[in-house]
Amino acid sequence: MTPNIFKTMRGPLDNTAALLGAAAAGFAVGLVANLGRKAAVQSLTMLKGQWDEGLKAEHRLTMKLFDALESTDESDARKRKALLVQLQHALAKHAFEEENVVYPAMRDHGQIVEADKLVHDHGYVKQYLFDLSEMDAADPAWIAKVREFRAEIEAHVEEEEQRLFPRLKAALGDEGNKHVTAVMNKAGFAAA
């Protein structure tokens, strides 16, 4: 009688082992897929080489998302919301890189007031994203808010690209620029 008990108990244990194996395999596939997705998202920035060129590429991507948003009309509310989510993700990664690497480097090289102003600007970026996500995308006021937001982003980008980033790049020197590039790409990969 004892052998039959073990025989009947073995069936559920085999099923449990199979389920645990399938779960582990699914987890591993998901982990690899996520790492691949992160690498793809960060590759745009990494392929540009220097940190400032990577950020400029991200700025251009942001403007293309604004272009796509502005090419919609009130009947494209779903498309507007989908594009807004893409914009939110792109700007979140970008802000993470700047706020955690570039702006601290600016502070370390005497651009304290400027770095703090840029962080302040990022607070308003988050406000615009929140406001747009709360608004009805079919409302005519929605696209007006997008255009206002874009104008703020364009001013922020111009200040960074034309005045502040060149100043930081010069202050960092070759080794400092290599370091900031490596640390920024690591942060971007983490945030992607």
Side-chain angles (χ1 to χ4, degrees), residues 22-69:
F27 176 77
V29 167
L31 185 61
V32 168
N34 189 44
L35 290 173
R37 181 195 59 76
K38 285 176 163 283
V41 168
Q42 188 59 20
S43 67
L44 167 73
T45 306
M46 289 178 63
L47 290 173
K48 291 299 178 180
Q50 292 286 322
W51 63 270
D52 58 326
E53 294 301 321
L55 292 176
K56 286 178 186 178
E58 291 179 4
H59 290 158
R60 301 301 164 264
L61 175 63
T62 299
M63 293 308 140
K64 286 182 182 186
L65 288 168
F66 275 111
D67 290 342
L69 282 165

Side-chain angles (χ1 to χ4, degrees), residues 5 7 21 23 29 42 46-47 68 73 101 149 185:
I5 292 173
K7 193 174 189 179
V29 167
Q42 188 59 20
M46 289 178 63
L47 290 173
D73 61 33
V101 180
F149 182 23
N185 282 320

Side-chain angles (χ1 to χ4, degrees), residues 16-166:
T16 301
L19 286 173
L20 287 173
F27 176 77
V29 167
L31 185 61
V32 168
N34 189 44
L35 290 173
R37 181 195 59 76
K38 285 176 163 283
V41 168
Q42 188 59 20
S43 67
L44 167 73
T45 306
M46 289 178 63
L47 290 173
K48 291 299 178 180
Q50 292 286 322
W51 63 270
D52 58 326
E53 294 301 321
L55 292 176
K56 286 178 186 178
E58 291 179 4
H59 290 158
R60 301 301 164 264
L61 175 63
T62 299
M63 293 308 140
K64 286 182 182 186
L65 288 168
F66 275 111
D67 290 342
L69 282 165
E70 290 182 272
S71 73
T72 64
D73 61 33
E74 288 86 6
S75 67
D76 294 325
R78 282 189 146 160
K79 183 177 181 180
R80 284 177 169 184
K81 288 296 186 174
L83 287 167
L84 180 63
V85 168
Q86 289 179 20
L87 184 63
Q88 288 170 317
H89 288 291
L91 288 173
K93 180 182 111 35
H94 184 78
F96 190 81
E97 292 167 331
E98 288 183 335
E99 291 174 12
N100 290 287
V101 180
V102 177
Y103 298 168
M106 288 174 66
R107 285 187 196 93
D108 287 346
H109 289 84
Q111 293 178 280
I112 297 166
V113 172
E114 296 89 341
D116 290 347
K117 184 209 176 284
L118 294 173
V119 169
H120 183 263
D121 291 350
H122 282 192
Y124 283 98
V125 167
K126 292 172 183 129
Q127 185 68 51
Y128 274 107
L129 291 169
F130 175 78
D131 291 347
L132 286 165
S133 70
E134 293 293 306
M135 292 174 72
D136 178 0
D139 184 333
W142 194 88
I143 201 68
K145 186 77 152 180
V146 166
R147 289 182 178 121
E148 179 183 318
F149 182 23
R150 181 185 188 136
E152 294 290 328
I153 291 287
E154 287 174 336
H156 178 88
V157 164
E158 183 178 344
E159 183 176 23
E160 286 180 335
E161 290 185 6
Q162 301 303 315
R163 194 169 67 83
L164 301 176
F165 289 173

